[in-house]
Amino acid sequence: MDAARLFHDCWKIYRQYYGINMGEKDWEQFVDEIESVYTKHRKEALAKDLLVAIEAELERMNKREKR
């Protein structure tokens, strides 16, 4: 696995969705993108861990913004 490419792909997703108050369509697109990155990186454990962490952080941010 090329860790640098994985980190770059994860950073691109995080940067794209950071600070956005995401609606249902945004979440659907986000899920499609993280599934694509996960598959691209052969479903490696590190890919899963990073993508789950990004999802959790974006969910926390979204909940804070909706308060």
Side-chain angles (χ1 to χ4, degrees):
M1 171 176 53
D2 185 359
R5 286 191 187 129
L6 171 60
F7 280 96
H8 177 74
D9 290 343
C10 289
W11 169 245
K12 283 175 33 181
I13 290 173
Y14 182 77
R15 184 182 62 196
Q16 180 179 350
Y17 291 96
Y18 175 83
I20 294 175
N21 188 6
M22 292 172 34
E24 188 175 328
K25 288 187 181 204
D26 297 315
W27 279 109
E28 289 172 6
Q29 181 180 351
F30 171 75
V31 168
D32 289 344
E33 289 183 37
I34 63 173
E35 287 176 355
S36 175
V37 169
Y38 186 50
T39 301
K40 175 182 175 182
H41 292 280
R42 297 178 308 280
K43 299 185 178 184
E44 294 281 343
L46 179 58
K48 180 179 180 179
D49 292 344
L50 291 171
L51 294 166
V52 167
I54 290 169
E55 180 180 10
E57 179 61 18
L58 292 175
E59 285 178 353
R60 280 191 292 273
M61 286 190 310
N62 230 14
K63 286 179 184 176
R64 270 183 276 175
E65 289 179 11
K66 289 184 179 182
R67 289 183 192 165

